[in-house]
Amino acid sequence: MTASSSALAPSPLAEERRALLAGLVEGLDAPTLWWLSGYTAGLAHGQHAPQLAVLPGGQAQSGQRLTIVYGSQTGNARRAAEKIAQEVEAGGLPVRLLRADAYPTRELANERLLYVVISTQGEGDPPDDAIGFVEFLSGRRAPKLPELRYAVLGLGDSSYADFCGIARRLDARLGELGAQRLFDPGLADLDIDTIADPWRTQALVHAREHLKPQGGTPLAKVTPLRPAHAPSPWSHEKPFAAELLLNQAIGGRDFKGPAFARHGVRDKDVRHIELSLAGSGLHYEPGDALGIRHRNPDALVEAVLQATALPGEAEVALLGETLPLREWLASRRELTRLSRPFLAEHAAQARADDLNALLAPAQQPALAGLLGSHQVVDVLRRWPARWEALELIAALRPLAPRLYSIASSRKRVGEEVHLTVDVLAYEAFGQSHGGAASGFLAQRAEGDPVPVYIEANERFRVPADSARDILMIGPGTGIAPFRGFVQERAETGAGGRNWLLFGARHFNRDFLYQSEWQDALREGSLHRLDLAFSRDQADKIYVQHRLREQAREVYAWLEGGAHLYVCGAIGMGKDVHATLLDIVRTEGGHDQDTASEYLARLQSEGRYCRDVY
């Protein structure tokens, strides 16, 4: 092959083995693929798998290595697991790092040292890439594990009542199976490092103790292959200042009658945002997310200062940083999301017995209601308390970036990235409320800088086999990644069919990217479009109703090898999943258990992918 050739060298594999290889790699993320490439390279040189301990006789033994399994929805758990693996590896110890859906559960009974790093999705659910792993551990097939030592690091969000719920349940379940807990689980809030750093220090100590060579003979270790390209200099800790190119309202437009093409009173404000990545070196694929480092609204900051009667100019020094209180509140602390630790501290400051009572385990439903309905300023107003500036900043959570599904393909838009943003605004407790990040984006003008970074989502990708059909379910702003999917498939000339199911409240005001979808249908880059507008008739119609109406064809597409994607709210994702179970049962003649296994298999194969939030 010449240097200028873009074609792959002819495969030496027979057709049957090529098919087996395609099935093996489909759905694997980049770290796993690099591990696999190192494994096969090792075999080619007469060696064994990288990141496995190899005894003098050449036989890899799982009892002399650390296995780290991670489940991650937004990338935080993956990054935390990678840090642990890197430090263990730097210490000369054998370690392998696997995403939960790539972990061969048949090996669990032979593990001797296992660390699990897992995030909690919504109210105590596992991330999508860990569903199968969690179900296996929770089920009857899970083996007894009397020789296993383990530790669990959980990442969560204490604005949800079931904080780090899946990590706590996994920790308990491993204990039920007879495994020995090395130390208490780490339960990290959005300020991950305050818990993850000391947990990692403990984990390294135990890894050195349990993996030290027997008889003074060092363990052989094969260095894994690494990606050839340099990592991006931009991250959630150091975002790139992207220039805003376009901020356009695409919701609330009346397409019929006297208000045609005019924006008037609307119940939703949805924006199409275009940003320039020129000069950044940032790259993304359809399905990835864009992280936004936003500031809290000035009006909200002033409301908090008023509720606490604290001076905004007061200097506050914390963790080596000194800023005016107003700046801490604007750029460093969460004001629109509550946390359990803040509520506990505020209940003590306010001497509010009723608030403190909500923190009891028996009051979890009531606490969930409070966390879901109140912002920080609402609590400050409802239960007045005397705060010192330093105490307030220490009690509030660090401001976390927000992730938005990318709504474009670089093959279509070049060095740009597009977003579809629902600007949150509502009335509560007699006051106006809004979303911090969506409000921040809505107020940006053309030419303004927006701090951004790319958050890869390896599990949410168009099929590597472009001949595969894809079925996309994305109500509301859940349609965003599918705009990128359709652009990508059109630009690459993919031969597979594209079927989109979109839902919203009203056809006239909420049909996002209507003209683009109509153009795609005419051009043949979109083959089918099914719509569900819930408020345009007496009986509400949602995307799951359209799925049921087309049950036979949906099942036929799945049986034909189609990939299925769901993007949107967690509640919608659960409703769609239940509908898919019904379709598989009725159309495929399955019972409840085998229908669940059918969808679980699609997930493990990377053919049923969800991005729910």
Side-chain angles (χ1 to χ4, degrees):
M1 184 173 66
T2 64
S4 61
S5 173
S6 60
L8 294 174
S11 171
L13 299 176
E15 178 64 32
E16 180 181 354
R17 289 186 177 272
R18 285 204 301 271
L20 289 172
L21 178 61
L24 171 65
V25 301
E26 185 169 335
L28 298 184
D29 61 5
T32 307
L33 288 169
W34 278 106
W35 181 91
L36 185 61
S37 70
Y39 178 87
T40 55
L43 292 178
H45 288 84
Q47 300 169 345
H48 287 263
Q51 298 183 337
L52 301 185
V54 182
L55 298 179
Q59 181 181 6
Q61 293 190 358
S62 61
Q64 291 181 283
R65 69 164 181 244
L66 164 65
T67 294
I68 303 173
V69 175
Y70 70 87
S72 185
Q73 194 73 23
T74 62
N76 289 327
R78 171 181 54 79
R79 282 189 290 268
E82 288 173 346
K83 280 185 181 180
I84 301 165
Q86 288 163 3
E87 294 192 22
V88 171
E89 187 179 65
L93 299 173
V95 58
R96 66 169 178 170
L97 174 67
L98 292 170
R99 199 175 66 193
D101 58 354
Y103 178 73
T105 52
R106 64 183 178 277
E107 296 182 9
L108 183 60
N110 296 320
E111 296 285 2
R112 296 297 177 263
L113 185 60
L114 173 69
Y115 293 163
V116 177
V117 183
I118 191 166
S119 62
T120 293
Q121 174 77 351
E123 292 293 354
D125 295 327
D128 282 355
D129 60 8
I131 291 174
F133 179 74
V134 171
E135 289 180 347
F136 173 80
L137 274 181
S138 304
R140 295 181 179 179
R141 293 188 176 91
K144 296 299 182 182
L145 303 169
E147 298 183 79
L148 176 68
R149 292 176 173 86
Y150 76 94
V152 176
L153 173 61
L155 277 59
D157 182 343
S158 60
S159 64
Y160 290 92
D162 194 5
F163 172 57
C164 284
I166 194 62
R168 289 186 284 105
R169 287 192 286 278
L170 275 183
D171 176 77
R173 178 57 176 164
L174 287 168
E176 290 172 0
L177 294 171
Q180 178 185 336
R181 180 190 295 111
L182 292 172
F183 51 94
D184 289 340
L187 304 178
D189 205 342
L190 296 185
D191 50 339
I192 296 169
D193 291 343
T194 58
I195 298 296
D197 285 351
W199 190 96
R200 187 169 64 252
T201 299
Q202 281 186 289
L204 291 170
V205 169
H206 284 281
R208 294 189 189 102
E209 175 64 26
H210 291 285
L211 298 176
K212 60 185 178 183
Q214 300 297 317
T217 303
L219 295 172
K221 176 172 169 287
V222 181
T223 302
L225 293 175
R226 301 296 184 193
H229 61 272
S232 169
W234 311 110
S235 67
H236 66 295
E237 296 170 340
K238 184 184 177 183
F240 171 73
E243 179 186 356
L244 190 140
L245 302 174
L246 181 66
N247 183 348
Q248 182 180 40
I250 58 173
R253 191 180 294 270
D254 191 347
F255 290 98
K256 292 182 179 180
F260 177 75
R262 293 208 312 270
H263 288 280
V265 177
R266 56 181 182 260
D267 55 2
K268 292 184 75 64
D269 180 7
V270 180
R271 302 294 180 95
H272 175 74
I273 304 287
E274 298 183 0
L275 299 161
S276 172
L277 298 180
S280 69
L282 287 171
H283 299 281
Y284 66 87
E285 299 295 331
D288 288 344
L290 190 73
I292 304 293
R293 276 286 184 184
H294 63 286
R295 291 175 62 89
N296 286 312
D298 292 341
L300 181 56
V301 171
E302 294 305 318
V304 170
L305 291 173
Q306 184 177 7
T308 56
L310 291 171
E313 297 73 25
E315 295 286 317
V316 178
L318 182 65
L319 300 176
E321 189 170 26
T322 301
L323 295 169
L325 175 59
R326 178 176 282 104
E327 184 60 23
W328 275 107
L329 296 174
S331 65
R332 300 293 194 276
R333 287 299 181 262
E334 286 285 355
L335 299 183
T336 58
R337 294 179 175 179
L338 284 171
S339 68
R340 183 191 293 262
F342 172 76
L343 288 177
E345 185 64 27
H346 187 72
Q349 295 279 3
R351 296 181 174 84
D353 293 339
D354 56 338
L355 176 57
N356 194 56
L358 290 177
L359 301 173
Q363 296 298 314
Q364 183 162 311
L367 176 61
L370 177 69
L371 292 170
S373 61
H374 286 59
Q375 295 185 352
V376 169
V377 70
D378 300 320
V379 171
L380 294 174
R381 288 167 174 160
R382 183 172 174 182
W383 291 281
R386 294 184 62 85
W387 280 96
E388 296 294 331
L390 176 59
E391 294 173 340
L392 178 66
I393 295 306
L396 290 169
R397 292 193 311 182
L399 184 63
R402 304 297 196 260
L403 296 178
Y404 289 92
S405 296
I406 291 175
S408 55
S409 163
R410 288 188 299 127
K411 293 180 177 64
R412 174 72 59 86
V413 303
E415 289 192 279
E416 295 181 10
V417 62
H418 298 177
L419 304 177
T420 310
V421 178
D422 188 351
V423 183
L424 181 63
Y426 61 98
E427 295 290 324
F429 314 111
Q431 303 287 337
S432 297
H433 289 62
S438 63
F440 171 80
L441 287 171
Q443 293 169 7
R444 298 305 96 190
E446 291 183 9
D448 284 350
V450 177
V452 305
Y453 63 96
I454 301 297
E455 186 64 64
N457 187 354
E458 300 286 351
R459 280 186 54 83
F460 209 79
R461 292 275 192 267
V462 295
D465 180 358
S466 63
R468 293 288 186 104
D469 297 332
I470 64 173
L471 199 164
M472 303 164 284
I473 304 167
T477 54
I479 203 171
F482 304 135
R483 182 175 183 262
F485 278 24
V486 172
Q487 289 181 356
E488 180 84 0
R489 302 255 288 181
E491 293 298 319
T492 58
R497 296 172 296 172
N498 305 323
W499 181 0
L500 175 64
L501 289 95
F502 171 71
R505 292 184 177 184
H506 301 285
F507 171 84
N508 283 349
R509 301 197 296 270
D510 303 321
F511 192 174
L512 305 180
Y513 302 112
Q514 178 184 0
S515 61
E516 290 190 23
W517 301 128
Q518 291 171 334
D519 289 343
L521 284 169
R522 283 193 296 268
E523 295 164 359
S525 56
L526 184 63
H527 301 83
R528 179 163 182 173
L529 176 63
D530 283 84
L531 304 169
F533 295 103
S534 60
R535 306 303 201 274
D536 281 350
Q537 60 283 311
D539 295 326
K540 293 179 181 178
I541 298 176
Y542 299 106
V543 287
Q544 55 265 34
H545 296 112
R546 298 302 186 212
L547 281 172
R548 290 183 193 278
E549 292 171 0
Q550 306 299 330
R552 180 171 299 179
E553 192 159 2
V554 168
Y555 188 71
W557 275 49
L558 295 179
E559 284 290 277
H563 287 228
L564 173 66
Y565 302 89
V566 181
C567 183
I570 290 175
M572 177 278 305
K574 290 180 177 179
D575 290 340
V576 166
H577 187 79
T579 301
L580 291 169
L581 283 172
D582 287 342
I583 290 173
V584 172
R585 280 200 306 267
T586 57
E587 300 300 322
H590 293 271
D591 59 23
Q592 182 70 28
D593 289 341
T594 58
S596 295
E597 291 171 1
Y598 183 96
L599 291 183
R601 188 177 74 253
L602 293 185
Q603 286 181 312
S604 67
E605 294 173 353
R607 288 181 49 213
Y608 174 20
C609 308
R610 305 192 312 164
D611 183 7
V612 294
Y613 39 84

